[in-house]
Amino acid sequence: MPFNLPKLDYNYNELEPHIDAKTMEIHYSKHHSGYVDKLNKAIAGTEYEENTLENLIQNYAKLPQTIAQAVRNNAGGHSNHTLFWTILSPKGGGNPNSDNLQFAINGAFGSIETFRERFSEKALSIFGSGWAWLCVDNNKNLTICSTPNQDSPITDGLKPILGLDVWEHAYYLNYQNRRPDYIKGFWNLVNWDKVSDYYSEAT
Ligand code: MN3
């Protein structure tokens, strides 16, 4: 099978109280695992088994119609969650601790507080299922955006460095309809070291 579920760097219960163990378990071992399985199934026996995940995501439009939607849903789901797990950490929260990323956030948004507000507003404003993102664009500028369902900013040529899953499966057990509280909790988990690494790689 070309694609595999990546290992988590923490246990299911280590993101508590902000993300509960049961949600983590279901989200990782059922939802994410399901995207990987369905992606592998969709491309099994086709030439696309040789493609990288990024290449698939950048080229949905060129895929045969019979597999295009399944690949879009599940390659996106695999890529989005793979990034998401890495930018969370039991030791996360606080502010970016790399000068480069701090400088870039201050330049793009004025301050880290304003960035957090604008990102949170974006995450809150998503209607239905989707993701909020902090991305690096072609001019190496930071930009906040959102995608519906499991669409990826990579399709639009952006490099995501921070993402927040606002599908109800990501928070409903613990927060029910209180998405604002989930978003507030998220900031306590952000692994800024990792986000800084992704920023450096993208710029
Ligand atoms: Mn999810």
Side-chain angles (χ1 to χ4, degrees):
M1 287 298 169
F3 297 106
N4 296 299
L5 190 62
K7 288 234 173 346
L8 293 177
D9 287 335
Y10 39 80
N11 297 313
Y12 293 143
N13 63 355
E14 283 185 276
L15 302 183
E16 292 193 337
H18 308 295
I19 300 178
D20 64 285
K22 194 73 191 165
T23 295
M24 272 306 299
E25 182 183 350
I26 297 170
H27 201 172
Y28 173 78
S29 74
K30 305 286 185 207
H31 291 277
H32 188 173
S33 172
Y35 298 126
V36 174
D37 292 347
K38 286 178 199 152
L39 173 60
N40 285 333
K41 207 173 143 202
I43 59 174
T46 74
E47 61 188 287
Y48 302 99
E49 279 189 319
E50 309 301 322
N51 285 43
T52 64
L53 190 58
E54 194 170 65
N55 195 270
L56 286 173
I57 291 170
Q58 285 167 334
N59 293 288
Y60 294 144
K62 296 181 191 152
L63 293 171
Q65 271 211 322
T66 45
I67 64 167
Q69 192 61 48
V71 172
R72 182 172 177 168
N73 293 342
N74 296 296
H78 180 32
S79 172
N80 292 343
H81 289 85
T82 297
L83 179 88
F84 186 49
W85 307 134
T86 64
I87 61 90
L88 301 176
S89 167
K91 299 188 188 96
N95 292 324
N97 32 23
S98 91
D99 289 345
N100 280 349
L101 181 58
Q102 247 183 20
F103 187 78
I105 288 178
N106 288 340
F109 307 106
S111 69
I112 177 72
E113 289 75 21
T114 308
F115 159 68
R116 258 196 289 264
E117 276 167 31
R118 297 221 353 231
F119 185 98
S120 298
E121 281 163 15
K122 181 63 84 177
L124 201 54
S125 71
I126 295 165
F127 182 75
S129 297
W131 292 75
W133 303 102
L134 175 65
C135 294
V136 177
D137 70 15
N138 279 335
N139 300 318
K140 311 211 179 236
N141 292 320
L142 290 176
T143 180
I144 294 171
C145 71
S146 64
T147 56
N149 304 312
Q150 294 299 353
D151 284 355
S152 164
I154 295 170
T155 306
D156 300 321
L158 299 168
K159 291 206 171 68
I161 63 169
L162 173 72
L164 177 58
D165 187 346
V166 296
W167 283 55
E168 285 186 347
H169 69 223
Y171 64 88
Y172 213 85
L173 285 181
N174 193 21
Y175 293 98
Q176 293 82 48
N177 61 327
R178 301 188 310 278
R179 190 191 289 182
D181 293 343
Y182 164 64
I183 296 168
K184 229 177 262 171
F186 162 73
W187 293 115
N188 295 300
L189 299 172
V190 172
N191 182 351
W192 285 112
D193 288 341
K194 206 72 189 171
V195 180
S196 298
D197 289 348
Y198 292 144
Y199 177 70
S200 300
E201 286 165 22
T203 54

